[in-house]
Amino acid sequence: MTHIPPPAEELRLLDAELWQLDARRAQLLARRAWLVAALQSARPAPLAPSGPTPLGPPRSEAPAPRVQNVLLVLGGVLLTIAAIVFTLVSWGHLGIAGRSAVLGAVTLAALAAPVPLLKRGLRSTAESVAGLGLALTVLDAYALHEVALTGVDGTGYAAVAAAVLAVAWAAYGLLPVTGGLRLPLPAALASAQLPLLLWALAADASPYGVTAALLVTAGFDTGVALRARAGSVRVAATVGAYGTGAWGVLAAGWLSWTASGPSAAARAAALLLLGASITLAAAWYGGRSAAGAGGAPAGRDESPEPGAERGHGRKDALGLAVTAGLLTVAAFGGAVRPALPEAWTVPVHLAFGIALLAAVRAVRLPEPVRHGCAWASGTVQALAVLWALPVAGLALLGPVGWVERAWTGAPSDARAAVTFDAPWPPHTGTVPLVLAAVAAVLVLGVRAGEWRPRALCGALGLAWATALSLPAVLELPYAVGLVTFGVTTVAALAAAALALEAVPVRIVPEGAPTAAAPPGAPAQAPAATTAGGLLPPPGLTALVLALVTSLSLAFLSLASRSATLTVLAASAALFAAASWRSRLAPATAPAALAHATALACAAGAALDWQPSHIALLVLTVPAAAAVWAARLGRATATVPVEVAGAAAGLLAAGLAATDPPLLALVLALCAVIAAGTAIRPDRRPVGYAAAALFVLATWVRLAASDVVTPEAYTLPVTVPALLIGGLRRRRDPQTSSWTAYGPGLAATLLPSLVAAWGDTHWTRPLLLGAAALLVTLLGARHHLQAPLLLGGSVLALVALHELAPYLVQVTDALPRWVPPALAGLLLLALGATYERRIRDVRRVREVLGRMN
C-alpha cells in the first residue's frame, strides 16, 4: 500500500525538493551564462561595421504614469489660464446673457465631466477636469461681482465668496458620484482659511479681532485634522492649523507683551488661552489616539504601520502639550503683568509655571499631555533661572577686581563690593526669590528615580546662587556680605558631609577580590566602595561649591586688611577641620594649605615685610604639609597634601629670589623638609630632591658671598660624601654610583665649572680639567656610570672653554661661506655613515648600562 505522510511532513518534503530544484536551476543558469559569454567572445568581430553596436534598449527616464500626470496637470493649467483670459479680456464682447450662458455652461460641463471619467476608470483625468471646474467657480464669483455686485465692498464680498466656495466644494467632494476625487475637499479646506480673516479685515476689526479670527480658523482646522479620514484632508488641515495657529499665537503674544493696561492685557490673555485650549485639545486627542491601537482612524487612504504612527502621534502630542503649557503660563502671567512692577514679571510667570506643574500632578491626563505640561513648566523655570544667572555670576566673579585694589578700604555695601562702579542690572530685585523657588521645586517635585540625585545637585547650586546674590541684591553692609559668603561655605561643606554620611561605606581589604571579578583577574576594589572612594553626586557638588565660595570670599576680603586676615585664617581652619573626613580630605586638605599660604603672605604684608622675608613665613606651610602627610600615611589625601606643600615651597623660593642669601636659606630649609619626608619608607626617592636642594643652596650661598674659591667650601663636603658613598657600596654592592658618588662629585665639580667659565686665568681650568680627567678614568676603570659621565662632561666643557677664544679667532678669519660649507660636508659625512654611528651608539649605551 502507498504510504501517505502527514500534511506537515509532506509540506516539509515538498519544500526540500523545491529548494533542491531552485539550487539546480541556479547552477544551470550560471553555466548557461558562462557558455553564452564564451561563444560571444569567440565570435569574430565584423570587419566593417555599418554603425555603432547597440548596447540595449534605451533606459526609460519618465514612466508612463508620470508622463500622464504631467500632461493632465499641464492641460488643466492651460485651460484655467484660457478661462481667466476669457473672463478678464474677452468678457466685454458678449452680452449679459451670452456671458452668463458661456461661463455657466463651461463650469457645469467641467464639474460634470469627472462623473463619466470616474466610471471609466480615468481617475487622473477626472482630477484634472475637476480642478478646472473648481477654478471656473472662482472665476464665476469674480464675474458675479464685476457684473451685478460692483457696489459691494471687495473684501467683504471675498469673505462671503470664500465661504460659499468652501461649502460648495466640500459638498461637491462629498457627493456619491464624485466621492472618489481627492482635490475638492482639500481645496474647500484651503478656501475655508479666508472667510473669518477677510471678514475681520472688512469690518475694520482691531488687532485683537484679527488675531481671534486666526485662532478660530486654526481651531476649525484642528478639528478637521483630528476627525478627517482622508489623508489628503488631514495633511491640508494640519498645514492650515499650524500656519494660522502660529500667526495667531505670535500676534497674541505680541499684544500681551505690548499691553499697557489691564483691559488690553486681559484681552490678549484671552486670546492666548484660546490658542492654549486648541493646542491642549489636539494634544489630548492625539495622546489618547497614540495610546490606542493605531492613531487616527483608517480612512480612504492607507495609513503607515500602527507602531510608527503611534510613535509620531505620541511625539506630536508631547510637543502640542508643551506649547499649550507655555501659552497658558504666558496668558496668566501677561494678564497680571501690567498691575505689577517690572521686577515681578519673571517671578509671576515662574509662579504660574510652578502652578501648572502642580495642576498636572493633581489632574489625571494622558501620559503625553502630562509629560508635555511638565516639560513646559520646566522650560519656564529654566528661563527664569537663565534670567537670574547674570546677577549670580556678578556676585561670584565681581570680587576678583579687588586684586588690583587690595586694602584700599571697605566699600559702602555688598553691591558696591562686587560691581566696582559698574552699572547694576535693572529690575533684578527678585532674583533670590526666583532662584530659591526653583530650588524648592527641584527638592519637592523630584522625589524618586534616577533624576533625584540630579535634582538635588541642581537644588544645591540654586540655593548656593541665592545665598551669593542676596547681599548684593539687598545692598546689605559689606560685613554682612562677608558673613553670608562664610556661612555659605560652611553650609556647603556640611552638605557634603551629610551626603557622605547618607551613603554607606564598605571598606574592602587591600588585595581582596571583588564579587564581579573573574577568576584569575587582578584584585581591585572599586573606588565607590572603599573608604577613599568618590563622593555621591550631591556631595561632590556641595564640595565644589564650598571650594568656589571660599575662593570668592578670599577675593572679597581683600578690601580690608583685617577682613583679609580673618577670612583666610577662618577658611584655613575650616577646611583643615573638614579634612578629618577621609573622603573630603583629598579636596579640603589642599584647600586648607592654600588658604594657609595666602594667610602667611597676607600676614607678612601686614607687617610690612619684604617679599624675601615673607618667604620664611610661607615655609611653615610646606613643613606643616610634610607632618600632615606623614600622619595620613597611605590615605588618598596624602599626594594632594604633598603637592600643595611643594607648591607653597616653590612660592617661597620665588618670593626670596630677589635676595640671594635668603634664597639660599629658603632652599636649605626646603631641603630639610624634603629630607624629613624621605625618612618615610614610601618616600625614599624624595632624598634625591633633598640632596639637590642642599647643593643648590650651597651654590647660591657661595654666589651671594662673592666667593672666588668655592673649592675651599665644597671640598670639605665632597670628601666625606665620597667616603660615605664608598662605605655604602662596600656594604651594599648593588647601590647605584649616582647614589653613592653623584652628590659628592657634583658638590665640587659643578661650582668649580661655573667659576672656571668666569675665570680669566689658566690655573683653575687646568686643575679642574685634571680632576675631571682623573674622575673619568676612575669611572672607566671601575665601570661606574656617575663618575664617568660627570667627569667626562666637566672635562669636555673645560676644554671647550679653553678653546673658545681660538675658535672665535678662526671663525673671524675664515670667509663667511666656509662655516656653511663645513656644516654641509659634516652633514653629508654623518648621513653616509648613519647606520655605523647608530651601531656604535648602541654599543656605548650597552656598555654604560652594564656599569653600576
Side-chain angles (χ1 to χ4, degrees):
M1 296 177 65
T2 304
H3 172 70
I4 300 177
E9 181 65 19
E10 185 178 2
L11 178 62
R12 187 185 65 80
L13 294 175
L14 289 176
D15 290 339
E17 292 180 2
L18 289 174
W19 181 84
Q20 293 176 359
L21 290 175
D22 291 339
R24 181 58 179 168
R25 175 180 173 81
Q27 294 177 357
L28 294 175
L29 289 176
R31 179 63 179 175
R32 181 182 181 279
W34 182 84
L35 291 174
V36 170
L39 291 175
Q40 289 179 352
S41 61
R43 184 181 302 169
L47 298 178
S50 58
T53 303
L55 299 178
R59 183 174 61 90
S60 177
E61 297 183 355
R66 184 176 301 177
V67 174
Q68 164 194 307
N69 294 334
V70 171
L71 294 177
L72 291 175
V73 171
L74 183 59
V77 170
L78 292 177
L79 288 175
T80 304
I81 294 174
I84 294 174
V85 172
F86 169 77
T87 304
L88 298 179
V89 178
S90 301
W91 187 259
H93 299 289
L94 298 175
I96 182 64
R99 286 178 281 180
S100 302
V102 171
L103 193 57
V106 173
T107 303
L108 292 176
L111 293 176
V115 176
L117 292 175
L118 287 175
K119 292 181 179 180
R120 295 177 180 271
L122 302 177
R123 182 168 182 169
S124 298
T125 306
E127 293 283 357
S128 300
V129 177
L132 175 61
L134 298 180
L136 290 175
T137 55
V138 178
L139 295 178
D140 289 337
Y142 170 76
L144 180 61
H145 179 268
E146 291 296 323
V147 173
L149 301 174
T150 54
V152 179
D153 178 63
T155 306
Y157 177 80
V160 175
V164 172
L165 289 176
V167 174
W169 292 350
Y172 179 73
L174 294 175
L175 291 175
V177 293
T178 56
L181 297 175
R182 298 182 180 180
L183 183 59
L185 292 180
L189 193 59
S191 180
Q193 309 301 309
L194 302 176
L196 288 179
L197 179 60
L198 293 177
W199 172 80
L201 296 176
D204 292 332
S206 64
Y208 298 93
V210 176
T211 304
L214 288 172
L215 291 175
V216 171
T217 304
F220 168 76
D221 293 334
T222 302
V224 174
L226 294 176
R227 303 302 300 178
R229 294 178 178 274
S232 58
V233 177
R234 288 201 304 268
V235 171
T238 302
V239 173
Y242 277 110
T244 56
W247 278 108
V249 166
L250 291 177
W254 175 255
L255 292 174
S256 177
W257 182 256
T258 56
S260 58
S263 176
R267 285 181 288 172
L271 294 174
L272 288 173
L273 287 178
L274 176 59
S277 302
I278 297 171
T279 310
L280 182 61
W284 192 301
Y285 184 86
R288 294 179 61 182
S289 299
R300 189 178 306 167
D301 300 330
E302 295 184 0
S303 301
E305 297 181 3
E309 185 165 343
R310 189 159 54 245
H312 288 295
R314 188 177 298 273
K315 293 180 181 179
D316 294 340
L318 180 64
L320 291 172
V322 171
T323 305
L326 294 177
L327 291 177
T328 303
V329 172
F332 286 106
V336 300
R337 181 183 59 82
L340 297 174
E342 292 189 14
W344 288 92
T345 300
V346 174
V348 165
H349 285 79
L350 176 62
F352 285 113
I354 297 174
L356 176 65
L357 183 62
V360 168
R361 292 178 176 273
V363 181
R364 186 174 181 180
L365 299 171
E367 182 181 356
V369 177
R370 185 173 67 254
H371 287 172
C373 292
W375 277 106
S377 177
T379 303
V380 173
Q381 297 177 49
L383 292 175
V385 171
L386 188 63
W387 170 78
L389 280 183
V391 174
L394 184 60
L396 176 65
L397 301 177
V400 178
W402 284 106
V403 173
E404 299 178 354
R405 303 183 182 183
W407 296 355
T408 56
S412 58
D413 53 42
R415 180 177 295 184
V418 299
T419 55
F420 293 98
D421 301 329
W424 180 258
H427 312 302
T428 54
T430 56
V431 165
L433 178 61
V434 169
L435 296 173
V438 179
V441 171
L442 289 176
V443 173
L444 301 177
V446 185
R447 296 182 178 273
E450 61 178 1
W451 288 93
R452 180 64 176 176
R454 304 175 186 177
L456 290 179
C457 293
L460 283 174
L462 293 174
W464 168 76
T466 303
L468 291 190
S469 59
L470 189 62
V473 170
L474 300 180
E475 297 185 85
L476 299 177
Y478 170 70
V480 177
L482 290 177
V483 173
T484 303
F485 274 60
V487 172
T488 304
T489 305
V490 175
L493 279 178
L498 290 176
L500 172 63
E501 295 295 337
V503 178
V505 180
R506 179 172 61 88
I507 301 178
V508 180
E510 183 177 1
T514 59
Q524 294 181 354
T529 59
T530 60
L534 298 177
L535 284 172
L540 182 60
T541 302
L543 181 59
V544 172
L545 294 179
L547 295 174
V548 174
T549 310
S550 66
L551 182 61
S552 181
L553 175 60
F555 285 118
L556 186 63
S557 66
L558 292 177
S560 171
R561 180 178 303 181
S562 58
T564 302
L565 298 176
T566 304
V567 166
L568 291 177
S571 299
L574 174 65
F575 284 104
S579 300
W580 288 105
R581 295 189 177 275
S582 59
R583 295 175 73 183
L584 293 178
T588 55
L593 294 175
H595 284 91
T597 304
L599 176 62
C601 296
L607 296 174
D608 293 331
W609 286 6
Q610 296 295 325
S612 56
H613 293 83
I614 296 176
L616 298 176
L617 193 59
V618 173
L619 281 180
T620 58
V621 177
V627 176
W628 197 352
R631 291 180 61 86
L632 290 174
R634 295 180 178 273
T636 55
T638 303
V639 174
V641 167
E642 291 175 343
V643 171
L650 185 61
L651 175 62
L655 292 174
T658 58
D659 192 344
L662 273 178
L663 177 60
L665 178 59
V666 168
L667 292 174
L669 293 176
C670 291
V672 172
I673 297 172
T677 303
I679 296 176
R680 295 162 49 193
D682 57 336
R683 292 294 185 267
R684 290 297 170 80
V686 182
Y688 296 106
L693 288 173
F694 273 125
V695 174
L696 184 60
T698 303
W699 295 345
V700 172
R701 184 59 195 175
L702 293 176
S705 301
D706 295 330
V707 175
V708 297
T709 309
E711 293 82 5
Y713 300 91
T714 57
L715 283 176
V717 177
T718 297
V719 174
L722 293 177
L723 292 177
I724 294 174
L727 292 176
R728 182 175 179 179
R729 278 187 55 81
R730 179 174 296 181
R731 294 180 181 179
D732 185 10
Q734 300 299 324
T735 303
S736 173
S737 62
W738 289 102
T739 303
Y741 305 117
L745 293 174
T748 295
L749 291 178
L750 297 182
S752 298
L753 178 63
V754 174
W757 271 78
D759 195 348
T760 58
H761 301 286
W762 58 272
T763 306
R764 177 178 280 109
L766 178 61
L767 296 177
L768 180 60
L773 177 60
L774 178 61
V775 170
T776 303
L777 294 177
L778 290 175
R781 172 65 179 81
H782 297 284
H783 299 280
L784 298 176
Q785 193 177 88
L788 179 63
L789 293 182
L790 283 176
S793 301
V794 171
L795 180 61
L797 292 175
V798 169
L800 180 62
H801 172 264
E802 294 301 313
L803 293 177
Y806 302 102
L807 293 177
V808 172
Q809 293 178 4
V810 170
T811 303
D812 293 338
L814 290 176
R816 294 188 177 182
W817 59 268
V818 172
L822 294 177
L825 292 175
L826 177 61
L827 291 176
L828 290 177
L830 291 175
T833 58
Y834 184 76
E835 184 177 2
R836 177 182 173 187
R837 301 302 180 188
I838 290 295
R839 184 184 58 192
D840 295 341
V841 169
R842 289 176 179 174
R843 289 179 179 177
V844 172
R845 186 178 62 185
E846 292 175 358
V847 172
L848 291 176
R850 289 193 296 268
M851 293 183 179
N852 191 352

